[in-house]
Amino acid sequence: MKYSKPLQAVLLALAMTATLATAAAPAVRAPHFAIDGAQFKLDGKPYIIRSGEMHYLRVPRAAWRERLRMARAMGLNTVTTYAFWSQHEPEPGQWDFSGQNDLRAFIKTAAEEGLNVVLRPGPYVCAEVDFGGFPAWLLRTPGLRVRSMDTRYLEASTRYFQRLAKEVGDLQSSRGGPILMLQIENEYGSFGRDHDYLRAVRAQLRKAGFDAPLFTSDGGAGRLFEGGTLADVPAVVNFGGGMDDAKGSIEELAAWRKQGPRMAGEYWAGWFDHWGEQHHRQSAEEAARTVDWMLSQGVSFNLYMFHGGTSFGWLAGANSSGTEPYMPDTTSYDYDAALDEAGRPTPKYLALREVIGKHVKEALPPVPSAPQPRAVPAFALKPAGGLLPQLETLSHARPSRWVRAMEEFGQNYGYILYRKRLDAPAKGSLVLEGLHDQATIFADGRVIGRMDRRRGESKLAVDLPAGAQIDLLVEAMGRIGFGPRLVDDNKGITRAVKLNEDELEGWTVYPLPMDAAALKRLPAAAGDPAAPGFWRGTLQLDKPVDTFLDTRGWGKGQVWVNGHHLGRFWEIGPQQTLYLPGSWLKEGGNEVLVFTTEQPTTTTMQGLADPVFDTPKPR
């Protein structure tokens, strides 16, 4: 067909306009990070995630950069962390993303050190922390059930995600940031099978503004995949052991999800400890062989843990199983990880670095100089007042007809004391129903017995006169954080106190959270060294150094240094030291405050260059 010259000119002009418009239109850019079938892609290129888990709460903020730099030098390209709701919203509507809780700063520091980030925002995280990372104040609402479609719970978790997104939403890969992807909940298949709940969590994340790729993570068994995954969300698998375990778990994942990335969301390259158990170890050779196999197969991985650190303060949680009703976790979260509790490379670190180096094209950065914890000379501690004489200083009395759980008094952590003066003689069995977790029983100020939930203890034979004062000091040793029993692990005495079959009424209750404000009110007073109470001392230093406080001989209790709560110690082991970061110390005098519930056999402490994990003592 022929056109007239005028028409040809018009058509040519139109063609030129279309060409110019096409040239001017911006090219469609591939997302910074994407999940494409069985591959991860970063800037359009296949990407193997070589990740290690490290929790900002468990590492002193001053050490974040050096520990992250160690991760990069081992050959990792990513760091994974949970976000901890319990620490960011300690009370309803009160938010804390400062200091040690500054998740944004942690993520940005990782990026500065050449590491991407996988964020696991919860709302449930497990992580061997109290209540699995849920804030304890959720337990103040009678009947509220976490990890469910309970509207009261979902309203609270919605608020949490919205606030979290304000902190780190702009750091997602969907906006060019280092957060590659986010996990929906955590190992939900080990808890339930309510897919409506998982979809609700996903919807909460999306509505809050989390628009990066999402994934789920569960143990490697069909039942767990069935309960914990969503058909349209990529899934990864968690496992421990050696190379054969890795093969089996990845095969199970591939059989369950024909399309999708092959990744160990958690490869347990170590394990955590309970009080009264052996310290766990896993050989460096086994971990290295397993990582070698994963890299040879193009399988992405996350080492759980790369650096475990310490569950400072009241952070440590507990576990429960059919045979062991209650197993509290130690303060140390060393985890037999590649970096030890103080951040030093271990033989496992060097073995993993060698293996990773074989599989990457680029030269690994040199290993930075390691921290050097030091021994410090013994220093004296002196009695600083028994607990009972200082109750009014540390707490405010609350009358209560019945004993009740500490959460009902607005308390989240610590100790709680129930006091009653007997109206009549008491002879027979004193029964503490629902003891959570350990009780010291006083009669007229004298210790007459102890009960331990770990051993199922709940009764004490008594023969007391009318008018005697009984005090029940109960220590919360960490809420259960995994399994069905986590939903209602309230603390204190959760049901009743009885004398034989008769429930005792008329109590005065003293919540003892042992927070900074209360401890500052403690007077400088002498005390009975045999009674539960406080001890003070001064650690003199020429310069601040990392060290491990030797707590052997001190029974059971807590330590604060310059106001920093190091955590719990207990002579039953295996942990016999508390990590003390040099960044929490100063030149000159450093105040050490110890609270004990058992009479110590020494009056000094010293710092050691290395931690002590000994054979547990049965109790």
Side-chain angles (χ1 to χ4, degrees):
M1 180 180 292
K2 293 184 178 180
Y3 300 101
S4 65
K5 287 186 178 180
L7 182 57
Q8 289 177 352
V10 171
L11 293 173
L12 179 62
L14 289 172
M16 290 180 64
T17 301
T19 301
L20 290 171
T22 301
V28 177
R29 295 179 58 186
H32 176 50
F33 176 79
I35 301 174
D36 184 6
Q39 287 185 324
F40 295 115
K41 286 189 175 179
L42 189 68
D43 294 327
K45 298 179 181 179
Y47 185 70
I48 302 296
I49 295 175
R50 307 188 304 272
S51 176
E53 189 99 6
M54 174 176 149
H55 302 149
Y56 53 103
L57 294 180
R58 286 175 158 141
V59 181
R61 178 168 179 162
W64 285 352
R65 187 175 297 278
E66 69 182 39
R67 311 290 164 84
L68 291 165
R69 194 167 289 171
M70 282 284 188
R72 189 71 188 90
M74 199 181 82
L76 303 182
N77 57 20
T78 305
V79 65
T80 296
T81 185
Y82 291 112
F84 296 87
W85 182 7
S86 60
Q87 306 305 302
H88 293 307
E89 193 182 12
E91 291 292 334
Q94 296 180 15
W95 301 99
D96 185 358
F97 287 91
S98 64
Q100 193 68 46
N101 292 336
D102 195 340
L103 174 60
R104 181 180 182 84
F106 178 80
I107 293 170
K108 293 184 73 173
T109 303
E112 290 165 5
E113 294 302 324
L115 294 164
N116 290 310
V117 175
V118 172
L119 181 62
R120 309 210 275 172
Y124 165 77
V125 301
C126 184
E128 288 72 57
V129 298
D130 185 273
F131 201 13
F134 289 123
W137 49 260
L138 288 170
L139 293 170
R140 298 177 198 168
T141 300
L144 182 148
R145 186 176 176 84
V146 299
R147 307 186 82 182
S148 79
M149 294 297 288
D150 186 320
T151 56
R152 299 165 298 179
Y153 161 68
L154 292 176
E155 287 171 1
S157 61
T158 295
R159 184 175 67 239
Y160 159 64
F161 281 139
Q162 290 172 343
R163 185 64 180 82
L164 184 66
K166 290 181 180 179
E167 290 294 322
V168 300
D170 63 316
L171 300 180
Q172 296 175 89
S173 59
S174 50
R175 306 174 203 183
I179 301 175
L180 299 180
M181 57 183 185
L182 300 99
Q183 182 177 306
I184 298 175
E185 241 263 359
N186 184 54
E187 294 185 325
Y188 181 73
S190 298
F191 177 84
R193 302 175 61 169
D194 186 349
H195 291 164
D196 286 339
Y197 167 65
L198 286 180
R199 283 188 281 267
V201 175
R202 176 177 61 182
Q204 288 181 337
L205 287 165
R206 289 308 194 205
K207 187 175 181 180
F210 288 111
D211 48 14
L214 301 175
F215 69 100
T216 60
S217 183
D218 286 280
R223 178 181 61 82
L224 303 184
F225 284 140
E226 182 179 349
T229 61
L230 292 173
D232 55 348
V233 175
V236 303
V237 64
N238 301 342
F239 57 86
M243 187 169 61
D244 290 341
D245 300 280
K247 290 180 180 178
S249 296
I250 295 300
E251 287 173 359
E252 284 195 77
L253 174 64
W256 177 260
R257 189 61 57 82
K258 302 297 183 183
Q259 296 295 322
R262 304 295 177 249
M263 180 174 179
E266 294 181 12
Y267 167 50
W268 306 317
W271 202 245
F272 58 92
D273 294 336
H274 295 130
W275 290 110
E277 293 183 357
Q278 294 289 339
H279 178 54
H280 287 88
R281 298 283 188 191
Q282 185 210 31
S283 75
E285 293 77 17
E286 183 178 64
R289 281 195 301 270
T290 305
V291 169
D292 190 17
W293 178 84
M294 287 192 283
L295 288 174
S296 72
Q297 301 300 309
V299 173
S300 293
F301 64 85
N302 174 44
L303 295 172
Y304 194 98
M305 301 286 297
F306 161 70
H307 175 40
T310 310
S311 297
F312 294 112
W314 309 109
L315 188 62
N319 289 89
S320 175
S321 69
T323 57
E324 299 290 340
Y326 183 72
M327 300 173 286
D329 301 324
T330 60
T331 301
S332 172
Y333 202 63
D334 172 88
Y335 219 90
D336 193 35
L339 287 189
D340 75 0
E341 192 171 2
R344 293 173 291 189
T346 65
K348 189 176 291 183
Y349 177 99
L350 300 176
L352 290 169
R353 184 175 190 271
E354 181 179 359
V355 161
I356 294 171
K358 294 191 311 181
H359 291 274
V360 299
K361 296 179 181 179
E362 73 273 15
L364 300 184
V367 179
S369 58
Q372 296 296 324
R374 304 290 186 187
V376 298
F379 57 96
L381 293 115
K382 296 181 179 180
L387 174 67
L388 297 186
Q390 301 188 88
L391 279 179
E392 298 295 339
T393 300
L394 292 166
S395 182
H396 299 288
R398 304 278 294 276
S400 180
R401 180 179 179 183
W402 317 103
V403 296
R404 294 183 288 150
M406 68 164 52
E407 293 84 0
E408 295 188 47
F409 296 96
Q411 182 182 351
N412 295 334
Y413 309 109
Y415 301 77
I416 188 167
L417 186 135
Y418 304 88
R419 170 172 287 177
K420 176 177 175 57
R421 193 167 294 280
L422 296 174
D423 301 322
K427 185 174 183 179
S429 291
L430 184 67
V431 183
L432 276 55
E433 292 187 349
L435 170 61
H436 293 182
D437 300 302
Q438 192 177 68
T440 303
I441 298 99
F442 303 78
D444 291 329
R446 178 175 58 88
V447 175
I448 60 171
R450 302 180 192 277
M451 297 182 196
D452 191 338
R453 180 185 180 189
R454 296 178 312 132
R455 299 188 300 228
E457 296 170 346
S458 62
K459 297 180 180 181
L460 178 70
V462 297
D463 188 356
L464 302 172
Q469 177 179 286
I470 58 172
D471 289 300
L472 310 175
L473 175 65
V474 179
E475 177 182 358
M477 293 186 60
R479 293 176 181 84
I480 293 169
F482 183 82
R485 294 180 179 174
L486 77 87
V487 299
D488 57 359
D489 192 24
N490 295 71
K491 294 303 175 185
I493 301 175
T494 62
R495 288 199 289 273
V497 175
K498 294 181 177 179
L499 179 64
N500 301 318
E501 298 299 322
D502 298 324
E503 185 168 359
L504 298 180
E505 301 181 22
W507 295 88
T508 302
V509 181
Y510 294 87
L512 294 164
M514 301 282 191
D515 54 20
L519 294 176
K520 284 181 180 179
R521 295 195 297 266
L522 278 174
D528 179 359
F534 296 90
W535 295 69
R536 286 188 190 275
T538 301
L539 170 59
Q540 291 285 346
L541 293 173
D542 294 332
K543 63 177 182 179
V545 294
D546 286 9
T547 193
F548 291 87
L549 283 186
D550 188 350
T551 59
R552 287 173 291 188
W554 281 93
K556 185 169 191 283
Q558 313 284 333
V559 177
W560 295 262
V561 177
N562 294 335
H564 294 279
H565 187 186
L566 302 190
R568 176 178 291 107
F569 63 87
W570 196 1
E571 65 180 4
I572 68 170
Q575 179 182 349
Q576 297 291 355
T577 50
L578 283 171
Y579 174 56
L580 174 54
S583 58
W584 293 358
L585 296 169
K586 60 185 179 181
E587 181 181 334
N590 295 270
E591 181 187 57
V592 179
L593 180 67
V594 177
F595 175 70
T596 63
T597 55
E598 302 174 4
Q599 183 177 1
T601 59
T602 182
T603 59
T604 64
M605 275 190 182
Q606 63 178 332
L608 305 177
D610 295 293
V612 175
F613 299 102
D614 69 2
T615 302
K617 303 171 181 62
R619 273 188 48 186

